[in-house]
Amino acid sequence: MLGLGCWSALLAARWATGSFHEFLLAETLFLLAPLVLVPLGLPLTAVPVRSGRPSRLFTLLEVLPLPSALALVPAFALELPWLARVALGLPYLLFTLCAALHGVVRLAGRSAFLVEELVIDVALLCPLGGAVWMMTWLGDFSLLGFQGLWVLLTAVHFHFAGFGCLLIAGLLGRLLWSRRTWAPRAWRLHPVVAVGLMGAFPLLAAGIAGQRALEVLGVSLYVLLLPMLAGLLLVGAAGVDSRGVGRWLLVGSGLAVLGSTTLAGLWGLLRPSPVTLPTMLRFHGTLNALGFVGLGVLGLRLLHPVSRANPAGVVFSRLGSRGRTGPRFFERLAPPDGRRPTGLVDDFSEYARPDFDPLRLSPEVRRFYEHTAEYRLWVVPDWKPGFRLGGRLWGWFARRVQQLVLPHDTHLQRHGVKGSIVAVDDGADGRERVRGWIRTHVSDGSPIYVAAYSSHVAGAMRYMNIAFPLPFSNMTSILRIDHDAPGGTGLKLTSCASEDAPGGDQGVYLAHRLLALRLPLNETIWVWSAEGTPRTEPPCDEPAVVLRARHEMWFFGRKYLELHYFIERLAGAGPG
């Protein structure tokens, strides 16, 4: 409200002068972004935090907008030396840098690929680009061959066509997700519009920089997609409470973008254009800033659609090697209490929930997870075409760090795997009831996997939380546990998001103490008793095998490896 009051006072003062030319109009439209638009939309980009306390970065973002935006008012309104103007613009440049980092952190920590949240991530990068062009204007510099009014218009473009438009598209996706059963076609259309708008923005920017073909392509995308976005705004408005003001603000935003898009098409596609630059500024610029973006962001702020992304605050392991990991990694991490776990979990019933009953599992499957040290494994790798060379290259690296050495053999040869369970100090790891599972080759004792197992609870779901120490970091696989099939006695552990609940913690991450990055990897592990193994699995004629497992791995959605496990109980182990 303070920013809106300052902007309104500046607008009234300039209007009263009677010489409201295009330079003053462009400056006034630009100031609407840091004073009103960005502070209005920023709270909607907050990531839900399960602890209830936002991150330090977002706390800083809540403090910076007001002083950094107010410093811009004298920089634009007063006749100051260029050095003073640039100095007054630096706080806003710092703020936009923090906003861009906030967008990167949001993207890195998300467990699932959600188009509506990705659009918001990209939107948070745009004010930084606009601030760079703003600094160019304040210093009266040239950038990429542009100077004068075109520099300021580019800063305006980054804030409204970039941040404002993409933020609306992302928040609208949240709104449509909550009403996907009521408007399924609109929900299916939204990703197409959102991805297209993310591509149209850089295309138009590159085209204006000198590539006419790219400019035509960017303008064409906007002319095609923005009316679709207007239609989605109207659909979203129709599905909310008719008594709320937010609904009618969305309607006004959708109608305004139709008018501004018509002017943009005439300006960008026709040469010579029937629309002059002053006309574009007065009508297209004003309709976009106040109508489309202003009403749209305000309406969505009032409606505040909820994100389906996973809350931040997953507890990751702090473990990491200083070079090589190796089978002796856990020797220095023995707990002081002398714990001696025998399995990957102490009691599998801890994973019980309304849609998962551990008592339905085969007793042998449960016993394997509770007494893992009493079993021996054989593994048969099956690398998929197109990934075998990459698997060999990864193997070269993995053997040197002695971690994640995926078996590789073109003849589907069986590899004997010896496993041991050791206790790990919770204080050093940072999680609870941690135990290590060290898997080595029976033939030569070389390491395959060195993993630290734990679990954590989010909502009503307990996840298996597995860390593989790497140099100065670790790869963490967070797995959701389900039945292998309705009525089945087998087990399914997966990092893939559920279609009904994409916001869970499951995923494969590269974790560091400062940041956890969701990797484009996924895995699913199926475990069955020998008699409950599906017929689709490779046959096994060895009576000593009591369990079968299949480990599937994907890279960017393409399966690159299957590991088929044959599991025997060691001599002397008790009955299942």
Side-chain angles (χ1 to χ4, degrees):
M1 294 301 294
L2 180 59
L4 180 61
C6 291
W7 184 81
S8 301
L10 179 65
L11 174 65
R14 288 185 164 178
W15 191 274
T17 62
S19 58
F20 203 36
H21 53 75
E22 58 265 24
F23 281 85
L24 290 180
L25 177 58
E27 284 187 343
T28 307
L29 288 177
F30 171 80
L31 284 173
L32 181 66
L35 287 170
V36 181
L37 172 64
V38 176
L40 187 66
L42 190 63
L44 297 170
T45 69
V47 179
V49 182
R50 60 195 73 193
S51 66
R53 298 170 58 186
S55 67
R56 294 179 181 178
L57 176 60
F58 192 77
T59 301
L60 180 63
L61 282 175
E62 290 182 311
V63 174
L64 284 177
L66 180 62
S68 63
L70 291 178
L72 293 178
V73 176
F76 278 85
L78 303 178
E79 294 292 337
L80 299 175
W82 71 269
L83 195 57
R85 287 156 54 95
V86 168
L88 289 170
L90 285 176
Y92 185 69
L93 180 65
L94 173 63
F95 161 71
T96 59
L97 178 60
C98 293
L101 289 175
H102 170 54
V104 172
V105 171
R106 277 172 42 93
L107 174 63
R110 200 154 47 245
S111 64
F113 178 77
L114 306 175
V115 173
E116 70 273 19
E117 298 301 323
L118 177 62
V119 181
I120 296 175
D121 299 334
V122 176
L124 287 165
L125 302 178
C126 293
L128 178 58
V132 171
W133 286 94
M134 176 202 73
M135 297 295 288
T136 305
W137 166 261
L138 293 177
D140 199 19
F141 308 135
S142 64
L143 181 62
L144 300 178
F146 290 91
Q147 56 185 1
L149 181 60
W150 287 106
V151 170
L152 183 57
L153 292 180
T154 306
V156 173
H157 182 76
F158 267 91
H159 280 83
F160 291 97
F163 175 77
C165 178
L166 295 180
L167 182 64
I168 288 173
L171 296 173
L172 181 61
R174 291 182 184 178
L175 189 65
L176 293 173
W177 161 258
S178 65
R179 293 163 175 80
R180 62 192 182 281
T181 56
W182 177 76
R185 292 183 180 178
W187 168 244
R188 288 194 294 268
L189 179 62
H190 175 265
V192 177
V193 175
V195 173
L197 289 173
M198 283 191 289
F201 180 77
L203 281 175
L204 182 58
I208 294 174
Q211 298 293 329
R212 173 60 180 163
L214 294 180
E215 181 183 5
V216 171
L217 180 57
V219 172
S220 299
L221 280 174
Y222 272 121
V223 170
L224 175 66
L225 296 173
L226 285 177
M228 293 184 183
L229 183 64
L232 294 178
L233 282 167
L234 297 178
V235 171
V240 301
D241 188 356
S242 60
R243 295 170 294 179
V245 178
R247 175 183 190 179
W248 302 109
L249 292 174
L250 292 190
V251 171
S253 174
L255 296 177
V257 75
L258 291 176
S260 67
T261 303
T262 302
L263 291 170
L266 294 174
W267 168 264
L269 297 178
L270 301 179
R271 288 293 184 272
S273 173
V275 182
T276 63
L277 181 59
T279 302
M280 282 291 290
L281 263 172
R282 290 191 182 95
F283 295 99
H284 171 77
T286 304
L287 272 175
N288 256 348
L290 296 175
F292 168 44
V293 176
L295 296 180
V297 174
L298 178 58
L300 289 163
R301 174 67 183 269
L302 294 175
L303 296 173
H304 209 295
V306 179
S307 171
R308 58 183 175 135
N310 60 309
V314 175
V315 178
F316 290 96
S317 170
R318 295 195 295 260
L319 297 181
S321 68
R322 297 181 180 178
R324 293 185 176 183
T325 303
R328 302 179 64 181
F329 177 81
F330 294 119
E331 288 182 359
R332 60 183 177 85
L333 298 172
D337 58 5
R339 286 186 299 115
R340 292 188 177 181
T342 60
L344 302 180
V345 301
D346 294 325
D347 186 351
F348 212 86
S349 61
E350 294 177 350
Y351 288 90
R353 59 179 194 270
D355 60 340
F356 178 73
D357 182 7
L359 295 178
R360 272 182 43 197
L361 296 176
S362 163
E364 197 71 57
V365 173
R366 285 193 59 172
R367 179 181 175 81
F368 171 74
Y369 279 92
E370 294 173 352
H371 302 281
T372 314
E374 299 180 358
Y375 291 83
R376 177 175 59 193
L377 292 75
W378 299 87
V379 61
V380 177
D382 181 13
W383 286 85
K384 301 305 177 182
F387 291 99
R388 289 168 184 158
L389 176 59
R392 292 186 181 277
L393 293 175
W394 171 257
W396 177 87
F397 168 78
R399 285 189 293 273
R400 276 150 183 79
V401 300
Q402 297 188 12
Q403 175 65 293
L404 295 171
V405 185
L406 302 174
H408 198 289
D409 195 289
T410 56
H411 302 292
L412 300 179
Q413 179 181 348
R414 291 205 311 176
H415 300 261
V417 179
K418 178 183 178 182
S420 60
I421 301 292
V422 298
V424 179
D425 183 15
D426 292 353
D429 183 281
R431 298 172 297 167
E432 297 179 349
R433 294 184 296 167
V434 186
R435 69 281 318 276
W437 189 18
I438 305 164
R439 281 166 281 182
T440 58
H441 285 286
V442 171
S443 58
D444 58 5
S446 60
I448 302 175
Y449 293 116
V450 179
Y453 278 69
S454 181
S455 66
H456 75 267
V457 177
M461 180 80 66
R462 179 177 289 275
Y463 296 91
M464 190 170 284
N465 190 318
I466 311 166
F468 300 85
L470 292 170
F472 310 103
S473 63
N474 65 74
M475 190 182 82
T476 295
S477 182
I478 297 179
L479 303 178
R480 172 191 169 111
I481 295 180
D482 290 294
H483 294 290
D484 65 323
T489 61
L491 187 65
K492 175 185 176 183
L493 305 94
T494 183
S495 67
C496 301
S498 167
E499 185 175 350
D500 295 329
D505 290 345
Q506 66 283 324
V508 181
Y509 302 81
L510 182 65
H512 186 269
R513 295 196 179 197
L514 298 178
L515 182 68
L517 174 65
R518 175 64 159 99
L519 299 174
L521 300 171
N522 269 310
E523 61 176 338
T524 297
I525 303 168
W526 309 79
V527 186
W528 308 278
S529 63
E531 61 274 12
T533 302
R535 295 181 179 180
T536 54
E537 291 300 295
C540 175
D541 54 3
E542 296 189 20
V545 172
V546 295
L547 290 169
R548 296 284 302 277
R550 184 174 77 242
H551 189 175
E552 302 175 344
M553 305 181 198
W554 291 272
F555 177 67
F556 277 109
R558 287 195 59 191
K559 186 187 294 185
Y560 65 91
L561 175 63
E562 283 186 3
L563 298 176
H564 297 272
Y565 285 94
F566 303 83
I567 305 172
E568 303 173 0
R569 198 182 307 135
L570 294 174

